[in-house]
Amino acid sequence: MGSIVMEPGDNSIFNNFSSICVHVDRIHSNSVFIGENPLEFSVPLLLLQLGICSGTIIFLFQLLKRLAQPLIVSQILSGLVLGYFGAGFLEKFRETIFPIRGLIFLDAISALGQVFYFFLIGVQTDMSIIKNIDKRAFGIGVCSVILPTILSNLYTVTLVNTVDLDTIKTLFVVGNAECFIHFAMVASLLNELHLINSKFGKIALASSMSSNCFGLFFQKIGMLLANERKVRLHALSTVYGFIVLAVIILSFQPVILWMTKNSPVGQPLKESFVITLFLGVLVVAFCSQASGMHIYFGPILLGITIPPGPPIGSAMVEKLDIIASWVLMPIFFAKIGLIFSIHTIKLLNFLCISFIIIVAAFGKFLGALMMSIYYKLPTRDGVALGLILNSQGALEIGIFKLMTKDKVLDEETFVVMCLCVMLVAAVITPILRYLFDPSRRFVVEKKRTVMHLRPEFDLSVLVCIHDQDDVPSAINILEALKPMHRNHLIVYMLHLVVLLGRANPQLIHHRITKLRTSSRSYASESIVNAFNYFGQSNSDVVTIHPFTAVSPSTTMYEDVCSLALDKRTSLILIPFHKRFHSNGMMSLSKYKMKMLNQHILDKAPCSVALIVERGIVKISRSISTNLYSFQIAIVFIGGPDDREAIFIGTRMIGHPYVNVTLIRLLEDTNSPSDGGKEMKLNNEAVSKYHRLMENNHRVRYLEEVAKDCTGTVAILRSLENNFDLIMVGRRHSPRSPLVQGLLLWNEQTELGSLGEVLASSDFIGNATIVVVQQHRKVVNEDPETSKR
């Protein structure tokens, strides 16, 4: 029984078997306890192979992640470990785990994995980025293709005329193949490096897309103009097959549009729609091979035509990503490892092929660097662009293998090219991490805090929203911060949406870009409308700028920090990753939101306030419609964060429906203090608050004395139902007896010691907790009392 998906090289490795016999009655094992060996049956053997291949990649990925290595290195290395270069060199292991009779099932699983993997690449390729290609991106992309093509062909001609090689026919193919740049692999590495949201990432995406389109166009033109009849026929058959596939895929378009129209916003895609699309992938894969094209061509084309993002694109990625990338694709890399015969490669051939690849890589690097300098980009960005455009991955390896199947490349050349993919990725990725750290650009020259902002200046606030439940508390705080005269409150509302189903992130400004059908799936209109209504109701003193950021959860903090940096905000409001009921029971916890908050706290270019919601904020408790005063408490122990909380509170004093109470906790012992400077700064902040109390019955000041952390907890619990909002600083001196014991109980570092007590299950009440962190990271540290 033969396998039509098995590559020619696979058979040659296993002693050139032309057929493989499989017993039809040895599929499922009965039991090991009755003396049967489960590895002699097809299904248990396949399950073990899947587990070993996936486990090897995961283990190597976790091991090499400490060395700043990308996923593709772990994938290729896992194939080497399981193949002839590693455990597969042991005949007993190879015959037991990867016997010849199991190759048919491996071939089928590997092909199925590649079908869905290439489909996902198509889904995540957002062709709309072509509209963002400007003159600079086009110049970088085109030069990164033309220059390596010229250099590699010149070097190959020189090599052919000076060295007698067995692989002369494939050398020109190697050079041209290595000059090709694939947008999907560049986007994948950018996402893995957490650079996709940066300005550099957007330039790299646009440049790689322009080079991809340019290279593909001239590749097909070259094939049609080729002298060899076989090459021209192959190009024509590709065109005919493309026409057939286009007709089939266009017939899917009305169905896809109907699915999009009948999918409620914010709701998961219906299972019937998902199944229909899965069947569509299999149908176009069958049509691809039946039309004489590669089996993966149809799925990637179908993926490109699917609208990116929710509801369809994100649903496809969510359903298929793990199973395709981490369960099925490892078989593909294991098979490559099984056909790797490194010990049979001639040294001269290896060196010559490797040098051609190096020349092509150098040409890409030089072309991108030269054009970057011409367009006056920073030198570091030019170097990074030259490196990132050399990124390759599973897509290139799949293409190399298809070229080997078509006998365009020989097996020896294929092995060398795969090894070079791994080596190039292993070299450029650590250099990119070292060269380009996006967090460095969030360091500013002056402190951006509410404390250092003069009272007569406008206050700019960035409000982060995940869903509609975050809106009431955020608007309540903005209502309290709303000035009554002189200055303005400028609000930048950022709705954060996780990127799924597309390769490039988006930042949508709803005042500039009208919401299209696709963007309506991202932006909750009710969220935007709520903030717009708040702005229109206070149009004389409040300005609202609503945004939607669509980006991966791992790099979402980039959008937050970039917007805060560009708009020169003094404060960022972010919701806590946990939500609590009034009885202290937790109703929601999101790990990705927790990591996002941690990144924002670490890298934000201004002060940050975490909002902890306890219970549902009722409309009757909102400030704007309240018939009684909104009670706000500020708990002050000392330190920069507590001082920032005081100055945020002073911005709220002007509101006619807001009562502000400053509660200062003092030690009743002679414990050593933080020092004279800190005490002086604390007293100055309190003195400024005292000056605002004059002739203002809505402002109060209380002093509470505590001996240790037990007294601090007792004072905090006394605030339970007396206030609507409680504000505390995040960080305090660990030497203070008032917080020393609390630090031992602190499980969530985002909230600090006091915030954790107020958010714990022991604290009963509906008060919203606001935990403040003052901005400190500056290039040139200014004095604490400086104003900007």
Side-chain angles (χ1 to χ4, degrees):
M1 183 176 179
S3 172
I4 61 171
V5 294
M6 185 179 293
E7 313 297 343
D10 300 350
N11 287 329
S12 63
I13 290 297
F14 294 97
N15 301 321
N16 292 313
F17 283 99
S18 59
S19 61
I20 300 173
C21 297
V22 178
H23 296 281
V24 296
D25 59 341
R26 301 184 73 81
I27 305 298
H28 298 279
S29 173
N30 293 320
S31 175
V32 69
F33 299 107
I34 62 175
E36 290 184 348
N37 182 3
L39 297 183
E40 294 179 358
F41 295 82
S42 300
V43 172
L45 178 63
L46 179 62
L47 295 176
L48 180 63
Q49 290 169 338
L50 288 171
I52 290 177
C53 294
S54 300
T56 304
I57 288 182
I58 294 172
F59 172 76
L60 290 174
F61 178 67
Q62 295 297 327
L63 187 67
L64 297 177
K65 189 164 63 173
R66 300 178 181 274
L67 301 177
Q69 294 300 319
L71 177 60
I72 185 61
V73 173
S74 305
Q75 290 172 329
I76 298 177
L77 198 58
S78 69
L80 293 176
V81 169
L82 296 175
Y84 272 80
F85 193 68
F89 187 75
L90 303 175
E91 186 175 353
K92 186 67 175 176
F93 175 85
R94 192 171 67 253
E95 291 178 353
T96 304
I97 305 301
F98 295 103
I100 297 174
R101 57 185 167 80
L103 287 182
I104 296 176
F105 299 98
L106 282 182
D107 289 330
I109 295 296
S110 175
L112 186 64
Q114 290 177 78
V115 164
F116 285 109
Y117 180 79
F118 279 80
F119 170 69
L120 284 180
I121 288 178
V123 170
Q124 296 179 83
T125 302
D126 186 6
M127 298 302 292
S128 65
I129 198 173
I130 294 177
K131 293 183 285 187
N132 298 328
I133 296 177
D134 55 9
K135 183 172 65 175
R136 178 178 59 183
F138 181 78
I140 294 173
V142 170
C143 191
S144 299
V145 174
I146 292 178
L147 187 60
T149 302
I150 295 173
L151 292 179
S152 61
N153 279 282
L154 288 176
Y155 178 77
T156 304
V157 170
T158 305
L159 199 63
V160 169
N161 293 329
T162 54
V163 182
D164 184 19
L165 295 172
D166 301 333
T167 58
I168 288 178
K169 294 182 179 180
T170 65
L171 293 182
F172 288 98
V173 178
V174 172
N176 292 328
E178 290 293 335
C179 295
F180 207 85
I181 297 172
H182 289 96
F183 164 81
M185 295 298 100
V186 173
S188 176
L189 184 58
L190 283 170
N191 188 32
E192 194 169 344
L193 293 173
H194 298 172
L195 297 175
I196 198 167
N197 289 12
S198 63
K199 185 178 179 181
F200 162 78
K202 294 172 183 176
I203 296 174
L205 286 175
S207 301
S208 62
M209 177 60 80
S210 63
S211 62
N212 198 338
C213 296
F214 180 81
L216 189 62
F217 174 76
F218 277 93
Q219 182 189 54
K220 296 306 175 186
I221 294 295
M223 291 176 69
L224 289 172
L225 297 178
N227 293 325
E228 296 184 18
R229 183 171 178 271
K230 183 179 178 182
V231 175
R232 292 200 306 271
L233 288 175
H234 183 272
L236 288 173
S237 66
T238 301
V239 173
Y240 295 147
F242 178 82
I243 294 173
V244 173
L245 277 175
V247 172
I248 297 172
I249 291 172
L250 286 175
S251 65
F252 272 98
Q253 282 298 99
V255 179
I256 294 173
L257 293 176
W258 180 82
M259 290 179 181
T260 304
K261 185 178 179 180
N262 289 273
S263 298
V265 176
Q267 298 296 321
L269 194 65
K270 295 179 181 178
E271 287 190 10
S272 58
F273 294 172
V274 175
I275 294 171
T276 302
L277 290 169
F278 283 177
L279 292 176
V281 175
L282 299 177
V283 168
V284 296
F286 167 77
C287 294
S288 294
Q289 197 160 54
S291 302
M293 294 184 298
H294 299 305
I295 194 173
Y296 322 117
F297 185 76
I300 195 171
L301 193 62
L302 177 64
I304 290 174
T305 58
I306 287 179
I312 297 181
S314 58
M316 292 294 98
V317 173
E318 188 176 0
K319 299 287 185 183
L320 284 175
D321 187 43
I322 293 178
I323 190 72
S325 301
W326 294 97
V327 178
L328 301 180
M329 279 301 288
I331 293 292
F332 169 74
F333 292 102
K335 278 192 73 242
I336 289 177
L338 289 172
I339 66 173
F340 268 9
S341 299
I342 298 179
H343 58 280
T344 62
I345 301 176
K346 296 180 180 179
L347 179 62
L348 182 61
N349 291 344
F350 176 81
L351 292 176
C352 290
I353 296 171
S354 299
F355 281 136
I356 292 175
I357 295 173
I358 292 172
V359 169
F362 177 73
K364 292 181 192 176
F365 173 82
L366 189 61
L369 180 61
M370 287 170 54
M371 296 306 295
S372 298
I373 294 173
Y374 175 78
Y375 287 112
K376 298 180 180 179
L377 287 175
T379 304
R380 186 178 64 180
D381 287 6
V383 173
L385 271 173
L387 293 175
I388 199 74
L389 292 179
N390 276 291
S391 60
Q392 294 179 325
L395 179 59
E396 282 81 6
I397 294 176
I399 292 173
F400 297 160
K401 192 169 185 182
L402 293 174
M403 293 170 70
T404 307
K405 182 180 179 180
D406 294 338
K407 300 188 182 302
V408 178
L409 297 176
D410 55 41
E411 296 172 22
E412 191 175 36
T413 304
F414 169 71
V415 172
V416 176
M417 293 178 76
C418 290
L419 287 175
C420 287
V421 169
M422 181 184 69
L423 294 175
V424 169
V427 171
I428 68 172
T429 307
I431 297 176
L432 280 168
R433 292 185 190 275
Y434 174 79
L435 273 181
F436 200 89
D437 180 7
S439 63
R440 294 175 186 171
R441 62 192 180 94
F442 300 135
V443 180
V444 293
E445 294 183 358
K446 293 182 179 181
K447 290 183 178 179
R448 296 187 180 181
T449 69
V450 180
M451 176 178 174
H452 294 88
L453 185 70
R454 296 187 182 277
E456 65 273 14
F457 285 5
D458 294 342
L459 175 62
S460 297
V461 180
L462 174 61
V463 183
C464 299
I465 301 293
H466 291 280
D467 52 47
Q468 297 181 19
D469 293 337
D470 300 328
V471 174
S473 294
I475 291 183
N476 262 356
I477 295 173
L478 294 176
E479 176 69 32
L481 287 169
K482 181 182 69 178
M484 294 295 104
H485 52 82
R486 291 190 301 175
N487 49 14
H488 289 76
L489 175 64
I490 303 173
V491 179
Y492 299 95
M493 190 283 295
L494 185 62
H495 182 204
L496 300 173
V497 181
V498 177
L499 172 68
L500 285 173
R502 68 192 308 148
N504 63 302
Q506 286 187 316
L507 182 63
I508 305 168
H509 188 184
H510 298 299
R511 289 283 180 89
I512 297 175
T513 305
K514 292 184 178 180
L515 294 179
R516 302 184 301 272
T517 302
S518 60
S519 61
R520 285 182 185 271
S521 302
Y522 295 128
S524 172
E525 292 185 34
S526 58
I527 294 176
V528 176
N529 290 339
F531 279 88
N532 281 336
Y533 178 77
F534 169 71
Q536 292 167 6
S537 302
N538 305 277
S539 57
D540 54 334
V541 291
V542 176
T543 305
I544 302 291
H545 299 280
F547 291 83
T548 294
V550 187
S551 58
S553 58
T554 52
T555 60
M556 194 173 281
Y557 72 93
E558 286 261 341
D559 283 322
V560 177
C561 296
S562 296
L563 192 59
L565 183 69
D566 295 339
K567 303 303 180 182
R568 300 185 63 83
T569 61
S570 298
L571 182 65
I572 300 175
L573 299 179
I574 54 176
F576 188 50
H577 73 278
K578 292 182 179 180
R579 290 179 185 148
F580 302 89
H581 293 296
S582 58
N583 60 2
M585 297 298 292
M586 184 174 64
S587 62
L588 181 67
S589 179
K590 295 183 178 179
Y591 175 75
K592 291 182 179 179
M593 192 188 298
K594 173 186 176 181
M595 299 309 298
L596 168 64
N597 291 348
Q598 192 62 58
H599 284 307
I600 294 174
L601 289 169
D602 291 341
K603 298 178 172 63
C606 62
S607 296
V608 180
L610 272 167
I611 304 173
V612 184
E613 187 53 63
R614 299 183 58 86
I616 300 175
V617 180
K618 300 178 181 178
I619 296 176
S620 61
R621 294 188 60 218
S622 67
I623 299 175
S624 58
T625 61
N626 220 346
L627 298 179
Y628 66 93
S629 295
F630 196 82
Q631 303 291 332
I632 297 177
I634 306 171
V635 180
F636 183 85
I637 293 178
D641 294 350
D642 281 13
R643 294 193 290 272
E644 183 74 3
I646 286 182
F647 281 88
I648 293 175
T650 58
R651 287 270 176 171
M652 301 177 176
I653 289 175
H655 199 288
Y657 297 123
V658 171
N659 278 4
V660 180
T661 302
L662 177 62
I663 304 171
R664 186 174 189 180
L665 291 134
L666 300 172
E667 305 170 19
D668 67 347
T669 62
N670 294 323
S671 303
S673 63
D674 290 336
K677 182 180 178 181
E678 276 294 307
M679 183 62 68
K680 180 181 178 181
L681 293 172
N682 292 336
N683 292 334
E684 287 179 358
V686 174
S687 297
K688 291 179 181 178
Y689 179 84
H690 276 303
R691 287 196 291 270
L692 296 173
M693 290 177 56
E694 298 175 2
N695 301 321
N696 193 338
H697 66 280
R698 290 180 289 100
V699 183
R700 294 193 303 161
Y701 173 78
L702 301 176
E703 287 187 354
E704 298 284 352
V705 179
K707 185 177 181 179
D708 51 23
C709 65
T710 306
T712 302
V713 172
I715 294 171
L716 293 177
R717 285 181 180 173
S718 68
L719 309 178
E720 286 178 350
N721 292 308
N722 297 326
F723 295 94
D724 301 304
L725 187 147
I726 302 174
M727 202 180 321
V728 296
R730 177 171 176 257
R731 298 164 296 190
H732 300 91
S733 171
R735 292 178 294 175
S736 172
L738 299 176
V739 297
Q740 272 185 345
L742 300 178
L743 293 175
L744 300 177
W745 306 339
N746 190 5
E747 298 178 359
Q748 304 293 336
T749 56
E750 302 102 300
L751 298 182
S753 52
L754 298 188
E756 283 296 327
V757 174
L758 293 171
S760 67
S761 58
D762 296 331
F763 187 85
I764 300 175
N766 279 328
T768 299
I769 313 300
V770 178
V771 180
V772 178
Q773 173 182 286
Q774 188 182 66
H775 176 239
R776 299 188 192 180
K777 293 182 179 179
V778 292
V779 177
N780 299 313
E781 185 72 27
D782 290 341
E784 186 75 21
T785 57
S786 67
K787 301 284 185 183
R788 70 175 185 178

